[in-house]
Amino acid sequence: PGSTVSVVPTSAITGEGVPDLLRVVLSLTQQRLAAKLMFGYNLQCTVLEVKVVEGLGATLDVILVNGCLHAGDTMVLCTQDGPIVTTARALLTPPPSRETRVKSELIKHESLEGAIGLKITGDPELTKVVPGTGILVMHQDDDVEDLKEECMKDIANLSDTLATEAKGVTVQASTLGALEALLEFLRNPGKDRQGKERPPIPVSGATVGPIHKKDVIKAAIMAQKGSEEYSCILGFDVPVDPEAQAYADKNQVKIFTADIIYHLEGHFTRHLDEIMERKRNEARDVAVFPSLFKISKNHVFNMKDPIILGGEVVDGILKVGTPLCIPHLGFLDVGVVQSIECNHKDVQTARKGQECAIKIVNHGNPNMTYGRQFDHNHQLFSKVNRASIDALKKYFKDDMQDADWRLVIKLKKVFSVI
């Protein structure tokens, strides 16, 4: 064979095979990456999580890969507001064979060498530290300004990724890496889990950490800008402050949280669908679909209020609620379609080529009469205007076909719509 592939059977249900898989990974890394795995004295330490722990205060869960940390070291850390200089008050680790997340009596150390996971306690300003960024330790000969500049490179390197737009959603994630992955997913079009095309989602703000009231206030600005669909926050693996949730509920800001990116996308898509459906319902009275109706002189069932006529939809879409007029008679307002009947069934819509009977009412002129003001020689036109066409473009694109848009262009000329 051209190549050999090692296969380790595992089960996500029972967990069988996971220790074997870890054993193979460790074995291969020790054999092929020995040089990279050698201990180095240059400090390499990354913040995994920021927590406030009862009895300890502000803490950092970090992974120390290389180098050495001492209790009392002066650290330079990265925050959204800029670098901070603070002291490592204590270095804590769980008992052997225990995870940091499992509650147990922590062991205090004066110093620790990599590679190890540990908890660092310090001043309250540690809560501002950005997870995913590195820790620098200041020694006697170091220049603090140089260290601050070096520390902020983690954020600076992501400046292009974190660049935002004037209108869009607000996103928050637990770490810089998670935020970068979320932004990449949202901004790149693709297909959702059902295989449907997914357009990119614009982002107006991106931060790391829990969702606070100040984040909700920023998201609420989108509604003031006329983009209520973007007045929401997508939180990836982050908690929501109760005060922030209460403020969001009061100001109609949606907060969607999930531990899986696809779930966040699903929440936001349903949010857009709900808003679009509401706006479509509000726009139904404004939107006028284009149509031409030819009257059949042998199928006039009632000549006066309500006028009931049989005929054919010559072009476009005729819907219940469509105002009809006759441009060739000085734009005579015939009335509004109250109902449509096709094959003895009430319908809401009749398309080009369909024969049907329509009931027309005219509240403004109840004396409108077939045979007096108009007859079968006059086609009935949908009465369109600029507002109705804009509503079609914005909310009813999916209901319109190319031929319907061509009819809209013709009607614009007839009604002198600019």
Side-chain angles (χ1 to χ4, degrees), residues 116-384:
I116 191 172
L118 66 141
K119 188 183 290 288
I120 301 175
T121 66
D123 296 332
E125 58 187 351
L126 289 184
T127 56
K128 299 179 182 179
V129 174
V130 177
T133 56
I135 293 177
L136 298 179
V137 171
M138 188 169 70
H139 299 290
Q140 190 172 1
D141 299 330
D142 291 332
D143 181 66
V144 65
E145 295 303 322
D146 289 343
L147 289 179
K148 285 181 178 180
E149 185 178 340
E150 181 69 25
C151 177
M152 293 303 291
K153 282 184 178 179
D154 286 333
I155 290 284
N157 291 338
L158 288 173
S159 58
D160 291 339
T161 305
L162 297 179
T164 54
E165 301 169 53
K167 287 186 178 181
V169 300
T170 300
V171 299
Q172 295 194 211
S174 54
T175 66
L176 273 179
L179 182 61
E180 192 174 6
L182 179 58
L183 289 173
E184 187 75 15
F185 175 81
L186 295 177
R187 286 171 173 166
N188 291 328
K191 293 186 177 180
D192 60 19
R193 304 190 84 173
Q194 282 73 43
K196 296 179 182 177
E197 289 296 325
R198 175 181 57 79
I201 298 172
V203 176
S204 65
T207 53
V208 174
I211 298 171
H212 296 291
K213 183 179 177 180
K214 63 178 182 179
D215 303 310
V216 179
I217 293 173
K218 290 179 182 176
I221 294 174
M222 286 297 113
Q224 298 172 14
K225 291 182 176 180
S227 301
E228 64 170 307
E229 66 271 26
Y230 297 137
S231 184
C232 63
I233 299 175
L234 306 185
F236 180 45
D237 192 28
V238 291
V240 181
D241 183 74
E243 186 183 5
Q245 186 63 65
Y247 187 83
D249 294 339
K250 184 179 178 181
N251 292 273
Q252 287 78 52
V253 176
K254 298 287 186 180
I255 298 179
F256 304 113
T257 59
D259 297 333
I260 299 172
I261 289 179
Y262 286 111
H263 291 178
L264 270 184
E265 180 208 10
H267 292 325
F268 181 68
T269 302
R270 285 191 290 274
H271 167 66
L272 287 184
D273 291 342
E274 289 171 4
I275 290 179
M276 179 57 74
E277 187 59 32
R278 175 167 56 79
K279 288 186 174 180
R280 279 167 62 96
N281 291 332
E282 292 171 355
R284 288 189 195 281
D285 294 337
V286 178
V288 176
F289 284 79
S291 66
L292 295 179
F293 186 79
K294 183 179 180 181
I295 302 169
S296 171
K297 66 176 182 178
N298 297 322
H299 295 89
V300 178
F301 305 106
N302 201 43
M303 302 174 70
K304 184 179 178 181
D305 195 31
I307 301 170
I308 302 176
L309 307 169
E312 179 187 355
V313 180
V314 178
D315 202 356
I317 314 170
L318 183 63
K319 285 180 172 281
V320 172
T322 300
L324 299 176
C325 78
I326 302 174
H328 306 301
L329 295 178
F331 297 95
L332 175 69
D333 285 324
V334 177
V336 176
V337 178
Q338 191 175 55
S339 64
I340 303 173
E341 185 178 301
C342 288
N343 298 322
H344 306 290
K345 291 181 181 179
D346 285 335
V347 295
Q348 293 295 311
T349 303
R351 279 197 165 272
K352 179 180 178 179
Q354 284 187 294
E355 294 183 343
C356 57
I358 59 174
K359 181 193 286 187
I360 303 171
V361 295
N362 192 326
H363 298 297
N365 184 7
N367 295 319
M368 178 66 61
T369 306
Y370 174 85
R372 182 184 299 170
Q373 284 98 333
F374 70 100
D375 58 26
H376 66 277
N377 294 310
H378 304 105
Q379 281 191 344
L380 303 181
F381 287 62
S382 292
K383 189 177 181 180
V384 301

Side-chain angles (χ1 to χ4, degrees), residues 29 32-40 44 65-66:
T29 52
R32 303 185 183 185
L33 300 172
K36 292 185 178 180
L37 292 175
M38 293 294 290
F39 175 76
Q44 186 180 353
V65 179
N66 280 315

Side-chain angles (χ1 to χ4, degrees), residues 67-89:
C68 183
L69 275 177
H70 301 82
D73 276 347
T74 301
M75 302 181 297
V76 182
L77 302 163
C78 176
T79 74
Q80 291 283 355
D81 302 325
I84 60 170
V85 180
T86 187
T87 302
R89 190 180 299 162

